[in-house]
Amino acid sequence: MAMTLQSSEEKVKPFRLVKYFTFTSLIVIFSGAIILSILNTHRARAMQREKSEEYALLLIENLNHQIFLQFIIPVALKYGEIRLREKVQFEHMDKVVRSTLHSFKVEMVNIYDMKETVSYSFDKSLLGKKDYGGAAFKKALTGETVSKQIQVGNIIEILLGFPKESHIITFAPLRAERPLSTLSGPVLGVIEIVQDMSEEYKMIFKFQIDVIITSTIVMSVLFLVLIFVVKRGEGIIQKRTQEKLRLEEALSRSKHMSSLGEMVSGISHEIRNPLGIIRSSAELLKKKVASFDPSNTIPDIIVEESGRLNNIITDFLNFAKPKMPDFSICHVEEILEKNIKYLSAQTKSQGYIIMIIISR
């Protein structure tokens, strides 16, 4: 029995292995979906930054063109020199810049002269400040465009991609333009444009959260379905295992009964042989005793008890080796009449009457 249970446990183990493998695969898929969503949002932020930098370059190019045509040339012709400290020139520059950037998403514009002094700014408190541009100003002064990103927030917010504030700062040279030529003129200063990307990054983070929530819901549904399938599979396997155990027990019992029947058959044959000798000897003794002592009943008792023992042994043999029924076509009424005649003495003594009624 112990070996049977062990064998059944070993046969259930492969299904358990499949179950554990399925659960592990589900966890791996869920983790992969989360990681993939994070990578996608990081990629989306990178693409948004590239788009913002290209957008800033287009704005600077347009602003450079408008400043040169609408401010530098008219002011130089009218006043002979450019002095943004003068209110009239500053207001003229402010009008050109704001009209050019009107409806565009620009938070701050700073214009530097060649000595890194802020000559124009949306924030008037910055006017006249020196050495405010830093390394990015020096690179832009050589004709190179530089962009950098500044994020405000704690480390967790920045790592997860939802800083409180995020700004793209672009430095580009302010050049003189040559009429009827695609070539740019000399560098006259540096333009700095600041774009606020906080809302865009918040939208990307919200999209990331939506992806994670959707993945969690899908994986939860798959997990529940998997649990249902596994439980049902375990129930079926357990039921089959119990049925197999029951059949194995029945087979073992049948083998045991078969062995017992063979043993009974052998013992019955061994007993029947001496019993037959005893009975035949008792019948011979009965004949001899009857000639000189007819009233002696001992031989009759021996013969009677031998016959009873023989009937018992016959029952044992029939149990050990049951006879196969011989099916054949017959008349039922004949069989019933023979049995009724055979049992008529007993039925009459007990007051029973048996009648056969056959309807055709």
Side-chain angles (χ1 to χ4, degrees), residues 54 61 105 108 112 136 140 146 183 216 231 235 243 259 263 273 295 319 325 333 348:
E54 294 175 357
E61 183 179 354
K105 194 173 181 180
M108 178 66 70
Y112 301 83
V146 180
L183 298 176
T216 303
K231 291 293 184 183
E243 182 67 18
S259 300
M263 182 183 68
N273 292 330
S295 62
F319 170 76
E333 59 272 18
K348 286 181 180 180

Short mmCIF file of all heavy atoms in Angstrom, two decimals, residues 54 61 105 108 112 136 140 146 183 216 231 235 243 259 263 273 295 319 325 333 348:
data_model
loop_
_atom_site.label_atom_id
_atom_site.label_comp_id
_atom_site.label_asym_id
_atom_site.label_seq_id
_atom_site.Cartn_x
_atom_site.Cartn_y
_atom_site.Cartn_z
N GLU A 54 14.67 70.03 -31.06
CA GLU A 54 14.45 70.43 -32.45
C GLU A 54 13.49 71.61 -32.54
O GLU A 54 13.67 72.52 -33.35
CB GLU A 54 13.91 69.24 -33.24
CG GLU A 54 14.90 68.08 -33.37
CD GLU A 54 14.28 66.87 -34.04
OE1 GLU A 54 13.06 66.93 -34.35
OE2 GLU A 54 15.00 65.88 -34.26
N GLU A 61 15.93 79.81 -34.74
CA GLU A 61 16.20 80.21 -36.11
C GLU A 61 15.22 81.29 -36.58
O GLU A 61 15.62 82.30 -37.18
CB GLU A 61 16.13 78.99 -37.02
CG GLU A 61 16.48 79.29 -38.47
CD GLU A 61 16.42 78.05 -39.35
OE1 GLU A 61 16.22 76.94 -38.80
OE2 GLU A 61 16.55 78.19 -40.57
N LYS A 105 5.21 77.70 -26.91
CA LYS A 105 5.39 77.36 -25.50
C LYS A 105 6.84 77.61 -25.09
O LYS A 105 7.68 76.72 -25.15
CB LYS A 105 5.01 75.90 -25.26
CG LYS A 105 4.84 75.56 -23.79
CD LYS A 105 4.31 74.15 -23.63
CE LYS A 105 4.11 73.83 -22.16
NZ LYS A 105 3.59 72.47 -21.98
N MET A 108 11.11 81.15 -20.99
CA MET A 108 12.10 82.20 -20.77
C MET A 108 12.96 82.37 -22.01
O MET A 108 13.29 81.39 -22.69
CB MET A 108 12.98 81.84 -19.56
CG MET A 108 14.09 82.83 -19.26
SD MET A 108 13.44 84.44 -18.74
CE MET A 108 12.79 84.01 -17.13
N TYR A 112 22.31 87.20 -24.86
CA TYR A 112 23.59 87.62 -24.32
C TYR A 112 24.39 88.36 -25.41
O TYR A 112 24.28 88.04 -26.61
CB TYR A 112 24.42 86.41 -23.86
CG TYR A 112 23.76 85.57 -22.78
CD1 TYR A 112 22.83 84.59 -23.11
CD2 TYR A 112 24.10 85.75 -21.45
CE1 TYR A 112 22.24 83.82 -22.14
CE2 TYR A 112 23.52 84.97 -20.46
CZ TYR A 112 22.59 84.00 -20.80
OH TYR A 112 22.01 83.21 -19.84
N ALA A 136 27.76 76.43 -21.44
CA ALA A 136 26.89 76.36 -22.61
C ALA A 136 26.99 77.64 -23.44
O ALA A 136 26.95 77.60 -24.68
CB ALA A 136 25.45 76.13 -22.17
N ALA A 140 28.12 77.94 -27.42
CA ALA A 140 27.26 78.61 -28.40
C ALA A 140 27.99 79.76 -29.07
O ALA A 140 27.73 80.08 -30.24
CB ALA A 140 25.99 79.12 -27.71
N VAL A 146 23.77 74.08 -28.05
CA VAL A 146 23.86 73.25 -26.85
C VAL A 146 22.50 73.22 -26.16
O VAL A 146 21.85 74.26 -26.01
CB VAL A 146 24.93 73.78 -25.87
CG1 VAL A 146 25.01 72.89 -24.63
CG2 VAL A 146 26.28 73.88 -26.55
N LEU A 183 24.27 81.41 -46.51
CA LEU A 183 25.35 81.39 -45.53
C LEU A 183 25.03 82.35 -44.40
O LEU A 183 24.50 83.44 -44.60
CB LEU A 183 26.67 81.79 -46.19
CG LEU A 183 27.16 80.86 -47.31
CD1 LEU A 183 28.42 81.43 -47.94
CD2 LEU A 183 27.40 79.46 -46.76
N THR A 216 -1.13 44.89 -14.78
CA THR A 216 -1.49 44.24 -13.52
C THR A 216 -2.86 43.59 -13.60
O THR A 216 -3.06 42.45 -13.15
CB THR A 216 -1.47 45.28 -12.38
OG1 THR A 216 -0.18 45.89 -12.31
CG2 THR A 216 -1.78 44.60 -11.05
N LYS A 231 -6.41 24.19 -10.02
CA LYS A 231 -7.24 23.52 -9.02
C LYS A 231 -8.08 22.42 -9.66
O LYS A 231 -8.21 21.32 -9.11
CB LYS A 231 -8.15 24.54 -8.34
CG LYS A 231 -7.42 25.53 -7.44
CD LYS A 231 -6.83 24.86 -6.23
CE LYS A 231 -6.19 25.87 -5.30
NZ LYS A 231 -5.55 25.22 -4.14
N GLY A 235 -7.78 18.47 -8.95
CA GLY A 235 -8.94 17.67 -8.55
C GLY A 235 -9.12 16.45 -9.44
O GLY A 235 -9.39 15.34 -8.94
N GLU A 243 -9.16 6.64 -7.76
CA GLU A 243 -9.78 5.55 -8.51
C GLU A 243 -8.75 4.46 -8.82
O GLU A 243 -9.05 3.25 -8.72
CB GLU A 243 -10.37 6.10 -9.81
CG GLU A 243 -11.08 5.07 -10.66
CD GLU A 243 -12.35 4.54 -10.03
OE1 GLU A 243 -12.86 5.19 -9.10
OE2 GLU A 243 -12.82 3.47 -10.46
N SER A 259 -5.39 -16.65 -4.49
CA SER A 259 -4.40 -17.48 -3.78
C SER A 259 -5.08 -18.32 -2.70
O SER A 259 -4.77 -19.51 -2.51
CB SER A 259 -3.32 -16.60 -3.15
OG SER A 259 -2.65 -15.85 -4.14
N MET A 263 -5.33 -22.35 -2.38
CA MET A 263 -4.96 -23.07 -1.16
C MET A 263 -6.11 -23.95 -0.67
O MET A 263 -5.91 -25.12 -0.30
CB MET A 263 -4.58 -22.06 -0.08
CG MET A 263 -4.12 -22.71 1.23
SD MET A 263 -3.76 -21.49 2.49
CE MET A 263 -5.40 -20.85 2.82
N ASN A 273 -9.55 -37.16 -0.35
CA ASN A 273 -9.02 -38.52 -0.58
C ASN A 273 -9.13 -39.40 0.66
O ASN A 273 -9.73 -40.49 0.61
CB ASN A 273 -7.57 -38.45 -1.05
CG ASN A 273 -7.47 -37.84 -2.45
OD1 ASN A 273 -8.39 -37.97 -3.25
ND2 ASN A 273 -6.36 -37.17 -2.74
N SER A 295 -28.40 -53.72 15.28
CA SER A 295 -28.79 -52.49 15.99
C SER A 295 -27.64 -51.48 16.13
O SER A 295 -27.84 -50.36 16.60
CB SER A 295 -29.33 -52.85 17.39
OG SER A 295 -28.31 -53.49 18.16
N PHE A 319 -16.23 -22.80 -4.44
CA PHE A 319 -15.80 -21.43 -4.16
C PHE A 319 -14.42 -21.15 -4.78
O PHE A 319 -14.17 -20.08 -5.33
CB PHE A 319 -15.76 -21.21 -2.64
CG PHE A 319 -15.09 -19.92 -2.24
CD1 PHE A 319 -15.76 -18.71 -2.37
CD2 PHE A 319 -13.79 -19.93 -1.77
CE1 PHE A 319 -15.15 -17.52 -2.01
CE2 PHE A 319 -13.16 -18.74 -1.41
CZ PHE A 319 -13.84 -17.54 -1.53
N PRO A 325 -21.22 -20.83 -15.99
CA PRO A 325 -22.58 -21.24 -16.38
C PRO A 325 -22.64 -21.64 -17.85
O PRO A 325 -21.97 -21.04 -18.70
CB PRO A 325 -23.41 -19.97 -16.10
CG PRO A 325 -22.42 -18.84 -16.16
CD PRO A 325 -21.14 -19.41 -15.65
N GLU A 333 -40.78 -22.73 -18.08
CA GLU A 333 -41.79 -23.41 -17.27
C GLU A 333 -41.33 -24.80 -16.85
O GLU A 333 -41.65 -25.27 -15.75
CB GLU A 333 -43.13 -23.49 -18.03
CG GLU A 333 -43.08 -24.22 -19.38
CD GLU A 333 -42.73 -23.29 -20.52
OE1 GLU A 333 -42.21 -22.20 -20.22
OE2 GLU A 333 -42.98 -23.66 -21.67
N LYS A 348 -44.86 -27.82 1.34
CA LYS A 348 -46.11 -28.33 1.92
C LYS A 348 -46.00 -28.41 3.44
O LYS A 348 -46.95 -28.11 4.16
CB LYS A 348 -46.44 -29.70 1.35
CG LYS A 348 -46.94 -29.62 -0.09
CD LYS A 348 -47.28 -31.02 -0.61
CE LYS A 348 -47.78 -30.96 -2.05
NZ LYS A 348 -48.10 -32.32 -2.57
#
